[in-house]
Amino acid sequence: MVPLKEHRLLVINPGSTSTKIGIFDNERAVFEKTIRHDSDCLASFEQIIDQYTFRKQTILETLDHEGINISRLNAVVGRGGLLRPIEGGTYHVNETMLADLREGYAGEHASNLGGILAFEIASGLNIPAFIVDPVVVDELQPVARISGIPDIERKSIFHALNQKAVARRVAAQLGRSYHDLNLIVTHMGGGITVGAHALGKVIDVNNGLHGEGPFSPERAGTVPIGDLVELCFSGEYYADELLKKLVGQGGLVGYLGTNDAVKVEEMIAGGNEQAKLIYDAMAYQVAKEIGAQSTVLGGKVDAIIITGGLAYGKEFVKKITERVEWIADVIVQPGENELQALAEGGLRVLRGDEQAKEYGATGVLSPN
């Protein structure tokens, strides 16, 4: 058997107060570090995008301190940011993408720095820079875009990077190609998204940020619209206060005052009946969303995958599994490793298993 050619990649995942970096030799992580940034230092920058020179220098100094020779790199992969809607895959970081990231086309977020940092470091080494499966991946079939109100179109915002990475790994474990399977992938973290993956495309998924699907540790999910409208015009809340009720202060935080599932389980173990009811309701809503996505796939489901941080909770996963295992086998892949997923996306291109896509002025929508 001919051994795989070794490719070395630098992977960059910027967060609001930290930057995670990793060096991968093929799929093997040889170095990983979370660089914590001083909050006062970050506050000195007017906009998040202004931080890229500071973060780039910090990354290069960290690698130099660790004795890592960046001249050996074959590619740099950054976390994808808030871009125009694009189909899933690995993308070259090009000038059009850089312009949208710098402008904050779809909003300002630390992840916008991922592609910029990758490009800035890669261009100095004359190697390619990529992003992989950002949250704006949009492969919805046309019927899934209809909301019921002509003024509003359903949008695809979900944990695309982890959902697709885990789907590919499970497909490999089953001895199949991701593009040959129908899967329901449930990512359960601070937000919860449930995607219907049909032959390599996520043809429907709940918007995990702006109010669809199950409630989660921090988000309200789908709520009764009429009652929400009444709250909006009650005079008791400003718009930003209501948005926080939906994202950040909803779900477990709203009901129980914590987003920590371990603490909720401790509350239940201590006899807290309200905590038990709310936790059961969250599992119930997750299972209900999985059931809904099974109809999207016409009941032809090869496997249900449960992933994300909440998937470590065996009792929570059991509550979901008991309701959905009649649909298909449930495969649990707890946690998420975004650095690994980014490295795998870069490797698929370097090995020729996948062709890197080019980002355009209108994004690259899936031709459903």
Side-chain angles (χ1 to χ4, degrees):
M1 183 177 179
V2 179
L4 287 173
K5 178 181 177 181
E6 185 168 286
H7 298 285
R8 173 161 280 203
L9 301 92
L10 167 62
V11 179
I12 303 170
N13 183 5
S16 57
T17 59
S18 67
T19 304
K20 295 178 182 178
I21 60 172
I23 298 290
F24 286 78
D25 287 343
N26 290 343
E27 287 86 357
R28 183 173 64 92
V30 296
F31 170 74
E32 290 185 76
K33 185 177 181 65
T34 299
I35 304 170
R36 307 287 179 187
H37 303 301
D38 181 75
S39 57
D40 291 336
C41 179
L42 294 182
S44 68
F45 297 98
E46 186 174 346
Q47 295 181 306
I48 291 175
I49 207 67
D50 299 329
Q51 300 172 11
Y52 83 86
T53 300
F54 161 72
R55 294 211 193 202
K56 174 188 172 184
Q57 189 62 34
T58 304
I59 291 168
L60 293 176
E61 288 175 356
T62 300
L63 294 173
D64 183 63
H65 181 264
E66 296 293 333
I68 294 170
N69 181 2
I70 62 172
S71 67
R72 291 183 54 202
L73 294 174
N74 300 107
V76 185
V77 187
R79 178 72 185 269
L82 298 178
L83 294 160
R84 300 168 193 266
I86 56 177
E87 67 180 4
T90 299
Y91 284 77
H92 281 124
V93 180
N94 59 23
E95 290 297 334
T96 305
M97 181 185 293
L98 289 170
D100 279 353
L101 290 173
R102 289 170 179 145
E103 178 192 342
Y105 170 82
E108 198 178 18
H109 192 272
S111 62
N112 290 357
L113 293 166
I116 297 170
L117 289 167
F119 180 83
E120 289 286 330
I121 294 173
S123 60
L125 300 169
N126 198 29
I127 58 176
F130 303 116
I131 66 163
V132 182
D133 291 328
V135 295
V136 293
V137 164
D138 185 339
E139 298 166 339
L140 297 185
Q141 56 187 336
V143 70
R145 300 184 187 280
I146 307 302
S147 71
I149 299 179
D151 310 73
I152 301 173
E153 182 178 272
R154 291 189 66 241
K155 295 180 177 65
S156 177
I157 300 177
F158 71 111
H159 303 90
L161 181 63
N162 190 47
Q163 280 210 24
K164 281 184 170 276
V166 170
R168 289 187 181 97
R169 289 177 204 145
V170 168
Q173 291 169 12
L174 297 174
R176 304 277 298 279
S177 166
Y178 169 52
H179 298 280
D180 294 332
L181 294 173
N182 283 345
L183 304 166
I184 297 173
V185 184
T186 303
H187 175 106
M188 305 188 305
I192 295 175
T193 56
V194 183
H197 296 236
L199 309 180
K201 300 287 186 184
V202 185
I203 63 173
D204 202 347
V205 64
N206 64 293
N207 183 326
L209 182 60
H210 292 135
E212 278 191 338
F215 72 80
S216 73
E218 299 175 352
R219 297 170 195 175
T222 300
V223 297
I225 296 173
D227 295 331
L228 180 60
V229 171
E230 287 188 14
L231 275 183
C232 290
F233 291 93
S234 66
E236 296 181 25
Y237 303 99
Y238 289 108
D240 61 339
E241 292 175 318
L242 272 176
L243 285 172
K244 285 178 182 177
K245 274 185 169 291
L246 296 175
V247 180
Q249 297 174 1
L252 296 185
V253 172
Y255 283 106
L256 303 174
T258 180
N259 63 359
D260 188 337
V262 174
K263 289 183 179 178
V264 174
E265 290 175 355
E266 290 172 353
M267 293 164 70
I268 295 170
N272 188 320
E273 291 298 322
Q274 174 71 356
K276 182 180 185 304
L277 174 63
I278 300 306
Y279 212 45
D280 285 350
M282 188 164 72
Y284 169 83
Q285 290 196 6
V286 172
K288 190 164 69 169
E289 189 70 18
I290 291 171
Q293 297 296 0
S294 73
T295 69
V296 172
L297 298 173
K300 298 175 182 177
V301 183
D302 293 295
I304 296 166
I305 303 169
I306 297 179
T307 184
L310 288 178
Y312 284 111
K314 293 182 179 179
E315 285 302 312
F316 186 68
V317 170
K318 182 181 177 183
K319 292 176 188 295
I320 297 168
T321 301
E322 288 174 345
R323 291 184 180 274
V324 303
E325 59 188 347
W326 59 273
I327 299 170
D329 289 342
V330 177
I331 300 172
V332 182
Q333 298 275 306
E336 60 179 311
N337 189 333
E338 292 173 334
L339 294 182
Q340 183 79 38
L342 291 169
E344 290 169 357
L347 282 171
R348 286 193 295 274
V349 170
L350 293 178
R351 290 172 174 167
D353 298 332
E354 183 180 301
Q355 187 172 353
K357 296 173 181 176
E358 294 297 330
Y359 180 82
T362 59
V364 182
L365 283 173
S366 174
N368 288 303

